[in-house]
Amino acid sequence: MESAEAPAPYRVGRWLPSDHAFLARWLAAMIHKTHTEPRPLHPAIADFRDLIEADAAIFMLFNQMFEQVPRRPPYDKDPTGKCQVRDYQHMLQLLNTILTHAPEFDQTGLVGCPINTIFDWSMGTAAGMAAFLDERVNAALKKILNAWGRFLSSSDSTYVLSDHPHKGWFGADARQAMPDFAREFSCDPDEPHHGFRSWDDFFTREFRAGVRPVASPDDDAVIVNACESAPYRVARQVSFRDRFWIKSQPYSIAHMLANDELAPLFAGASVYQAYLSPLSYHRWHSPVSGTITKAYVRDGSYFAEAASHGFDPAGPNDSQSYITEVATRALIFIEADNPDIGLMCLLAVGMAEVSSCQITVYEGQRVRKGDQIGMFHFGGSTHCLIFQPGVKLQFDHHGQKPGLHAANIHLNARIATVVR
């Protein structure tokens, strides 16, 4: 899809740098910290260890995933010549360290998903692909992510919301990357940490009133952007069931919609997918005016990536469509006021650590186009708008081609118009 263009300088959405040297340097520092400041395993990490060691199949996979990492550069060493993550015991120690660390700003190679960095090579192996699709493994990972989420929601996590010139989220480098932060987002620059109470409070920040006006608020033929996001892909006549794990990664409606009883209505659907950035806004808004028909979160995988591209450190780039079928995701069905749209679905998909989907609307609630309906905690990932067959749409990508090189389209800006 993007083969004719130069490689993206960052993995999708700027969550991780494409240059593995950035990740390796960060990981080397984390390994050093883990070895110099050992601490007892957090209960959630200890439970994960017990699961790995008690179940024969999981024990085998978590040994094989590290054995299957190639024994040649760049997979075997970090830039200092030391081995990277050597085995599952080392993995557990690193996870234990991360539970009391919040992401720092880094303009040279933003590490927005540190746990993904630990699994970077092993998740691309055959054993890793199997392990990270296992329901028991994902249940254990959910406990770990929830524990980390509690730290990120505490005041202890505000140490990165500093004015350190390079590492602080209000330092010189960050201000250069986000020059309009104080003007766009609700905050108080005169307060400590700009008034944010925690890392999660900072990452789920809200726009100031009037910053993202709703396009054509009284025209129900205009569909607006549900997230501050960049267009990734548009697909039409999507099959009800398809081989979503193959190289082209076609969408598979039944699996995307978790075999919901409403899923058959979307056989042959049109799908618009877009992805979010860690520097941006992480809440979801209704793309249409209408009524919430159904809304719930479906648990799924956290670190699974598509096998179709082989052993590739840029696996998350190549798995954007794949994870819509397997990752933790929120499904919000909306019956649009416009009968030419009818029932549609917003699918908010978690990726790696970014899998805490919170729905803030209820079934039967009336929403207007642009109303807030939910959010990702710790940033954002990707989302889809799914329309039934027969809905004729003219998409507006704001002068760009969908893909990994696309830029954000503003929240509440027009992204499609119903054509009669």
Side-chain angles (χ1 to χ4, degrees):
M1 184 165 52
E2 296 290 317
S3 58
E5 300 181 22
Y10 293 85
R11 302 189 195 182
V12 66
R14 298 176 67 93
W15 287 98
L16 290 167
S18 291
D19 186 345
H20 192 266
F22 289 131
L23 296 180
R25 282 193 288 271
W26 178 90
L27 188 57
M30 186 58 65
I31 289 173
H32 176 76
K33 187 175 184 66
T34 298
H35 289 172
T36 56
E37 301 177 15
R39 64 183 65 188
L41 292 183
H42 185 283
I45 304 291
D47 287 346
F48 192 25
R49 176 202 59 199
D50 294 344
L51 171 68
I52 292 172
E53 295 181 345
D55 187 279
I58 296 177
F59 182 71
M60 176 185 67
L61 292 175
F62 271 86
N63 278 277
Q64 288 182 336
M65 71 168 65
F66 295 104
E67 294 170 359
Q68 290 173 0
V69 175
R71 302 298 180 184
R72 63 182 187 277
Y75 315 112
D76 57 340
K77 306 287 183 183
D78 69 25
T80 68
K82 299 176 182 177
C83 292
Q84 297 199 54
V85 186
R86 301 182 295 270
D87 48 44
Y88 77 84
Q89 293 96 338
H90 194 200
M91 172 199 77
L92 292 170
Q93 293 170 358
L94 290 168
L95 291 175
N96 199 53
T97 299
I98 280 177
L99 290 188
T100 53
H101 283 74
E104 298 173 335
F105 183 85
D106 186 344
Q107 68 172 353
T108 60
L110 182 65
V111 181
C113 294
I115 298 177
N116 191 292
T117 306
I118 293 173
F119 296 146
D120 195 34
W121 296 126
S122 58
M123 67 193 288
T125 65
M129 292 171 191
F132 291 121
L133 286 172
D134 189 287
E135 289 186 3
R136 297 162 296 173
V137 169
N138 282 300
L141 288 171
K142 182 177 181 178
K143 291 181 181 179
I144 293 171
L145 294 176
N146 285 342
W148 192 39
R150 286 191 288 273
F151 171 77
L152 296 177
S153 298
S154 74
S155 59
D156 289 342
S157 66
T158 58
Y159 73 93
V160 296
L161 304 181
S162 71
D163 58 2
H164 185 285
H166 306 302
K167 298 180 179 181
W169 283 91
F170 301 117
D173 288 351
R175 289 198 304 271
Q176 183 177 7
M178 301 181 291
D180 298 322
F181 187 93
R183 181 184 64 82
E184 291 188 340
F185 294 104
S186 295
C187 64
D188 187 349
D190 295 328
E191 290 289 323
H193 317 301
H194 277 51
F196 296 108
R197 300 180 300 276
S198 67
W199 166 260
D200 185 69
D201 190 30
F202 164 73
F203 246 71
T204 58
R205 58 193 179 269
E206 298 192 67
F207 280 120
R208 293 187 185 275
V211 168
R212 293 291 186 266
V214 178
S216 305
D218 299 319
D219 185 352
D220 285 340
V222 173
I223 298 166
V224 299
N225 203 14
C227 300
E228 189 90 351
S229 55
Y232 175 73
R233 187 179 183 185
V234 172
R236 301 179 189 269
Q237 298 180 331
V238 176
S239 298
F240 186 60
R241 290 191 179 89
D242 212 331
R243 294 164 57 86
F244 58 85
W245 57 90
I246 64 177
K247 188 170 184 179
S248 61
Q249 292 179 40
Y251 294 116
S252 181
I253 289 295
H255 300 102
M256 294 174 77
L257 299 184
N259 291 300
D260 191 277
E261 62 183 6
L262 297 174
L265 299 175
F266 293 89
S270 294
V271 176
Y272 171 87
Q273 184 175 0
Y275 58 88
L276 289 78
S277 159
L279 300 180
S280 190
Y281 176 80
H282 312 292
R283 296 175 183 246
W284 329 321
H285 291 240
S286 183
V288 298
S289 294
T291 302
I292 305 298
T293 301
K294 184 182 289 191
Y296 62 96
V297 174
R298 169 63 184 260
D299 284 344
S301 65
Y302 297 98
F303 298 96
E305 64 179 44
S308 57
H309 293 265
F311 192 84
D312 187 348
N317 264 4
D318 301 324
S319 302
Q320 282 295 293
S321 297
Y322 170 79
I323 62 173
T324 64
E325 284 90 0
V326 301
T328 296
R329 54 206 185 274
L331 296 85
I332 303 178
F333 293 90
I334 306 171
E335 182 68 39
D337 290 345
N338 186 339
D340 292 328
I341 300 174
L343 184 68
M344 63 158 297
C345 182
L346 185 150
L347 188 72
V349 186
M351 179 179 70
E353 290 92 314
V354 193
S355 299
S356 296
C357 303
Q358 180 186 0
I359 297 170
T360 58
V361 290
Y362 56 87
E363 295 179 12
Q365 182 177 342
R366 286 273 308 145
V367 292
R368 288 195 56 79
K369 182 166 54 178
D371 285 353
Q372 186 181 147
I373 58 177
M375 72 192 80
F376 291 113
H377 289 273
F378 179 34
S381 178
T382 190
H383 76 288
C384 295
L385 302 182
I386 307 174
F387 301 90
Q388 292 186 71
V391 179
K392 298 179 181 179
L393 298 169
Q394 180 178 345
F395 287 97
D396 182 357
H397 304 306
H398 293 240
Q400 58 187 337
K401 178 183 177 181
L404 297 178
H405 295 266
N408 272 359
I409 296 173
H410 281 179
L411 174 76
N412 292 329
R414 181 182 63 186
I415 57 164
T417 303
V418 180
V419 180
R420 294 184 179 179

